[in-house]
Amino acid sequence: MLSLRPLLPVLLAVALAGPAEASAAAQADGIETARTGRQIAPGIRLESYDRLEADRWLRIDELLVDLGGRGGVRAEYLGGHGPATVAEAAARHPTGPGRRVVAAVNGDFFDIRGTGAPLGPGLGGGRLLHSATSGPGAAPAVGFGADGIGRVLRIALDGSVTLPGGAVRPLAGYNAARPPAVGLAAYTADWPGAELPAVGTAVAVRDGRVTTAAPPVRSPARRERPAPGTTVLTAAAGGAAAAELAALRPGDAVAVAARALPDAGPVPVAAVGGREALVVAGVPQNHDGEPNNTAAPRTAVGFSRDGRRLRILTVDGRRRDSGGLTLTALGRLMHRLGAYEALNLDGGGSSTLLAGLSGATALALENSPSDGRLRPVSNGLVLTAPAGSGRTAGYRVEPVGGTTEDLTRVFPRLTRTLTATGYDALLGPAPGAPVWSADGAGTVDSAGVFHAVRPGRATAHARRTTAHGAVPHGELSLEVLGPLIRIRPTHARIGLAEQGESAGFRLTGYDAQGAASVVEPRDVALEFDRSRWRVTDDGHGGFTVTALVPQATGRLRATVRAGGAAGAAGAPGAVGAPGAGSGLTAELALGVGLVTFPVTDLADVADWTGPGASAAEGHPGAGLALEPAGAAAQGSAAPPRPLPVPELARSLTLWVGGDGSGARPAVELADADGAAVTVRGPAVDWTGWRELTLPLPATAEPPLSVIRLSAVGGTRPGRLALDTLGARTPPTGPAAAPVVRDPIVATEAGVRARPWRFAVEPAGGIRAGTGDGGADFVLTGADRPEFVHRGVRFLPLDTTRPTLGGGGLDRMRALRKALAAAARDPATGALAVVQADAPDTVDRKETALTAHLLAEFRRTTGKRAAVLALGAPAFAAGRSEGVLSVAAPRTGRTLVGVDAFARRDWLAVRQTP
């Protein structure tokens, strides 16, 4: 999922800073591109930010925690009763009287394909809950003492079993995820897995006496969690320990002792196991060449030298939006952030960070788990803090739907619904309705609905007078944009697979400068076939469309009703009354049910190329044969050009002629950013033709295109025949595509009326003008250094290197430097970024970041900005957030008139053949 966090003023501060002023986070190995933060509780703060590295984007969330201070924060063991999501475990965590949960993170690596129990040691409430699975030896963990101070340590098992007659045997495992191969292991009600692992011989002990003797050993069996007060002793079948257990009888005296043995210092009150040391005594560790040192989602915990400063960090990964980190890079990051000691916890799809909002009763998910959902994990760390008085000390005011920039804006005569959540002095929940007011460019009614009156700034206030006369309050700054001139749905088409399925959309509006804001359902009237679809307000600033029939197509027409809410009509929860307004409109195409759209019938198989590929008889007609050279080898073939997949496709279909060889077919695709996406079929254990359905991953960024068909060899040499690739897609019909002509597109006379002009032509380099058309110069490429001409700073950016190949980092550094220079120079009225049109090289996140930086530059300096894309497929001109854009095509001549200090638009553009 593509994401660019909202940019705060700190972004421009970084962008405009000189090299000496830039923060440490924006130095040699990357640039921080956005940062948000909030106080979770006294002594706990959440910081979230993006970074552009030379080879990847990163999304990072970190909790900064003061331990052992007056905030009363504690880190405690979370979970331990079978796999559960961090959210589930945090919701049922026993905090004790006068305390509340304020944050939580996943913990140890665990036996993911077995019992689900953690692999390292764990302590809670000062008790050993489980030892490491590797045996009684010391294993790494993060621990917290009675004073709250934390450290990285190693914890061993110090345990024994005293048998009848006084013989003492060492305990080889205590609630360990995997039973030891040699020696005795003990399992209690603290067992953290779903069920006990398979064991050979077992006896139950209660109150120091055997209650259940070992049954005859026939095969390993899984057992239920022991009852409280009962200890189950186990041993692998066939060894001396198993023989000793088998000799026990009910009533025999057996004593089991187990405690944690730290490598140094006192036994922690709470501890969670980890794996790799990231920082040791202030030195980041190098894991090159070691297992697990691949780029992945990560969770890490670090401490200051005195253990009073805790840093919990998650890094998203396995997505274009955030590539993850290696262990070596994670250690360097933790060290750079100030960790003196740091330990790697479980990562991948397990990485989960939850944190509270002031006044909220539930935690919010902060990172983006790579599975696309919360994964059940074995344990974690939970932060608790004093609960507070419950008396209102203030309000957290925010728009319904979130605090993104497009929701803190509103158009004149339209509305924005606000919420006010009360919090006490410790940021805990404090119920109580506020009194609303506003100043500036709008008003707020008693229900918290802001009504925009005129362009400008406004502040909404939520207040409540207390019995002591104080006035707890909260406020939210809002921006009223210019008049609404057009609207666009976030999805031009909505396709649903079956009756009852739902999907959402929002309406985005734009003013004359291209500034965007969400248009709320209360300001919109909808027209649609109510016998086929149900459309409701989703409660978050958008709409939910639900299919009422199994097969249908249709259209939804949205009309903005300025000056008042459209109201509800039809079934309960339905929004929009037909004909309720006659303002701006937008249309969506709707469809439900899946039909197969052809992607290729392989009629052009002779033009497909690749190793182990040849033409074959298809099903019917022409087909493609793939012959992997060996068991792990791959045969593949690429089409003469990428094959587009319908944007709403849910799955692919492929006919496969099997030979029983066990080879696996696959379809390889590229997503919207060129990232590889592969969908694999099953091992072909059949003969003859069979049609496969291959689901597309929900995380793939459309549009997708097929770049290769392949097959990986099975158990013996084989030859797979492939034919007729299709896409199962809801049949929505064409989407509406309104044409928007921007005012900067002018007549030739209008262009020539500007004080000076330049031209854009296809060629190479930049040459001086010849007087043709009155152009001061002709721009034919982006290969010249930065230059200034008559009040405009031109910044040519090289787009030959991809964003994630170092090009993006270099371009952002150059842009930051140019922004700083343009901001300081009073003779510079505008900045124009010049680059070759390269959508396959410059990814969408870099494009969005460039646009945001230019928009912030324009907003904070009052100067102008534009992006010129050379060699585009077609001419286009427009604007976003006041930043102009011109796409000059590969053919013809584009003439641009310029007035860098104009009161209104500073460019006028005309394209000629």
Side-chain angles (χ1 to χ4, degrees):
M1 178 175 63
L2 181 69
S3 172
L4 185 66
R5 299 179 191 266
L7 301 182
L8 296 179
V10 68
L11 172 59
L12 191 65
V14 172
L16 300 184
E21 300 170 277
S23 68
Q27 293 300 321
D29 59 346
I31 293 176
E32 184 180 304
T33 64
R35 180 179 285 268
T36 61
R38 71 173 188 266
Q39 200 72 23
I40 304 303
I44 308 177
R45 183 168 179 81
L46 172 72
E47 294 287 335
S48 301
Y49 49 95
D50 292 0
R51 283 181 61 83
L52 173 60
E53 307 283 344
D55 60 347
R56 72 197 64 206
W57 290 96
L58 293 175
R59 293 183 59 191
I60 299 171
D61 296 279
E62 55 176 320
L63 285 169
L64 308 175
V65 186
D66 292 326
L67 298 172
R70 289 189 294 179
V73 180
R74 294 181 197 159
E76 302 172 10
Y77 185 97
L78 176 66
H81 297 286
T85 68
V86 176
E88 292 167 342
R92 61 178 181 240
H93 179 73
T95 60
R99 298 190 67 80
R100 63 189 180 97
V101 170
V102 294
V105 69
N106 70 288
D108 200 357
F109 292 79
F110 60 100
D111 187 16
I112 193 170
R113 293 181 179 84
T115 63
L119 299 178
L123 287 89
R127 296 187 301 110
L128 177 66
L129 301 177
H130 52 86
S131 67
T133 235
S134 55
V142 292
F144 303 87
D147 57 1
I149 306 303
R151 71 190 198 267
V152 176
L153 72 164
R154 297 182 69 84
I155 298 175
L157 169 63
D158 181 15
S160 64
V161 178
T162 304
L163 298 172
V168 178
R169 301 289 182 257
L171 195 60
Y174 185 78
N175 286 327
R178 297 166 188 160
V182 177
L184 296 170
Y187 292 91
T188 72
D190 288 328
W191 163 245
E195 57 182 7
L196 294 189
V199 295
T201 302
V203 300
V205 177
R206 188 177 182 88
D207 297 328
R209 300 286 176 176
V210 175
T211 60
T212 305
V217 177
R218 294 186 175 88
S219 62
R222 292 190 180 274
R223 300 172 183 271
E224 298 298 322
R225 181 191 311 276
T230 296
T231 299
V232 174
L233 286 174
T234 71
E244 288 185 309
L245 289 184
L248 295 174
R249 295 293 178 266
D252 285 349
V254 174
V256 181
R259 67 184 184 96
L261 184 64
D263 55 354
V267 175
V269 172
V272 168
R275 186 176 289 174
E276 297 89 356
L278 300 173
V279 183
V280 177
V283 179
Q285 302 298 290
N286 187 346
H287 292 273
D288 292 350
E290 298 177 7
N292 197 30
N293 193 35
T294 58
R298 297 291 182 183
T299 300
V301 174
F303 299 96
S304 60
R305 187 166 189 165
D306 62 3
R308 294 182 176 275
R309 185 73 163 172
L310 164 67
R311 188 180 303 271
I312 300 174
L313 180 141
T314 58
V315 182
D316 291 348
R318 294 177 183 162
R319 58 183 65 217
R320 192 75 171 180
D321 191 42
S322 186
L325 285 177
T326 65
L327 292 174
T328 302
L330 182 62
R332 288 199 300 263
L333 175 61
M334 293 296 288
H335 176 258
R336 187 168 65 245
L337 293 173
Y340 185 76
E341 302 279 349
L343 185 68
N344 181 51
L345 302 187
D346 192 12
S350 299
S351 286
T352 307
L353 180 65
L354 304 176
L357 294 160
S358 54
T361 56
L363 303 183
L365 176 64
E366 299 299 334
N367 73 319
S368 298
S370 62
D371 287 355
R373 63 186 184 280
L374 295 185
R375 173 189 287 180
V377 295
S378 65
N379 63 10
L381 282 173
V382 62
L383 301 180
T384 69
S389 66
R391 293 191 298 270
T392 305
Y395 287 96
R396 172 169 49 89
V397 181
E398 58 189 7
V400 167
T403 56
T404 55
E405 186 178 42
D406 57 354
L407 283 167
T408 58
R409 294 168 159 184
V410 62
F411 295 102
R413 303 178 65 199
L414 299 186
T415 62
R416 180 69 67 231
T417 304
L418 308 179
T419 63
T421 304
Y423 57 84
D424 63 22
L426 298 184
L427 303 183
V435 175
W436 291 94
S437 64
D439 51 51
T443 63
V444 177
D445 64 24
S446 60
V449 178
F450 176 79
H451 299 261
V453 176
R454 62 185 181 276
R457 307 296 301 188
T459 303
H461 304 273
R463 293 184 172 90
R464 184 183 181 206
T465 303
T466 71
H468 305 286
V471 185
H473 71 283
E475 61 184 37
L476 177 70
S477 295
L478 297 161
E479 180 183 6
V480 181
L481 301 175
L484 178 66
I485 65 167
R486 65 185 176 95
I487 58 173
R488 180 179 63 85
T490 50
H491 305 291
R493 297 184 298 159
I494 289 182
L496 305 171
E498 58 189 3
Q499 180 180 358
E501 185 175 315
S502 299
F505 73 94
R506 282 180 171 178
L507 282 177
T508 302
Y510 301 87
D511 68 8
Q513 288 300 320
S517 174
V518 171
V519 178
E520 284 198 8
R522 69 170 59 247
D523 294 323
V524 178
L526 302 179
E527 298 177 67
F528 56 93
D529 185 340
R530 294 171 188 271
S531 68
R532 296 183 173 189
W533 319 97
R534 181 173 64 250
V535 185
T536 57
D537 182 339
D538 66 6
H540 301 285
F543 302 86
T544 299
V545 180
T546 304
L548 302 180
V549 294
Q551 296 282 338
T553 60
R555 303 193 77 80
L556 181 150
R557 182 181 179 89
T559 303
V560 174
R561 181 186 179 186
V575 296
S582 56
L584 297 168
T585 63
E587 287 193 354
L588 291 81
L590 306 177
V592 58
L594 295 177
V595 297
T596 302
F597 286 85
V599 175
T600 177
D601 61 3
L602 289 171
D604 60 348
V605 66
D607 298 323
W608 289 57
T609 56
S614 60
E617 184 176 348
H619 181 75
L624 173 69
L626 296 178
E627 299 182 56
Q634 176 176 290
S636 65
R641 65 191 62 81
L643 305 172
V645 176
E647 189 166 353
L648 300 180
R650 300 295 185 90
S651 61
L652 300 176
T653 60
L654 179 67
W655 281 93
V656 177
D659 61 354
S661 65
R664 295 187 62 185
V667 181
E668 300 177 38
L669 309 103
D671 72 3
D673 290 318
V677 178
T678 301
V679 291
R680 305 182 190 279
V684 178
D685 56 3
W686 67 87
T687 59
W689 287 96
R690 182 179 296 182
E691 187 178 34
L692 302 181
T693 298
L694 309 175
L696 291 168
T699 55
E701 289 283 353
L704 304 173
S705 57
V706 177
I707 58 174
R708 191 175 292 105
L709 298 179
S710 62
V712 176
T715 56
R716 60 180 176 80
R719 182 177 187 270
L720 295 187
L722 308 179
D723 195 10
T724 312
L725 179 66
R728 297 282 289 167
T729 309
T732 63
V739 177
V740 178
R741 180 184 174 90
D742 194 275
I744 66 170
V745 179
T747 63
E748 187 165 349
V751 173
R752 292 179 183 278
R754 297 296 173 124
W756 67 276
R757 290 155 298 286
F758 68 92
V760 180
E761 292 181 354
I766 297 177
R767 60 183 175 84
T770 61
D772 180 25
D776 285 22
F777 58 83
V778 178
L779 187 62
T780 59
D783 53 355
R784 174 181 167 173
E786 178 181 345
F787 65 98
V788 179
H789 186 83
R790 299 181 68 173
V792 180
R793 182 174 296 270
F794 287 86
L795 176 65
L797 292 177
D798 177 15
T799 56
T800 58
R801 284 198 299 158
T803 300
L804 303 187
L809 188 57
D810 288 345
R811 288 187 288 269
M812 287 302 102
R813 285 175 173 157
L815 177 57
R816 183 178 63 178
K817 182 179 178 181
L819 287 169
R824 289 192 300 263
D825 183 8
T828 298
L831 173 69
V833 174
V834 182
Q835 57 187 32
D837 183 72
D840 295 333
T841 302
V842 179
D843 72 20
R844 290 176 296 163
K845 195 166 181 179
E846 181 188 341
T847 300
L849 175 58
T850 299
H852 276 289
L853 284 170
L854 293 175
E856 284 292 286
F857 166 79
R858 177 182 178 274
R859 183 182 65 81
T860 57
T861 67
K863 299 187 178 187
R864 313 307 177 85
V867 176
L868 309 178
L870 312 185
F875 173 78
R879 71 191 69 206
S880 174
E881 305 295 333
V883 178
L884 305 180
S885 61
V886 177
R890 303 180 186 124
T891 59
R893 191 173 200 258
T894 302
L895 188 63
V896 183
V898 185
D899 182 354
F901 301 96
R903 292 179 61 110
R904 296 183 181 274
D905 285 339
W906 65 285
L907 294 183
V909 185
R910 178 71 175 174
Q911 205 274 327
T912 59

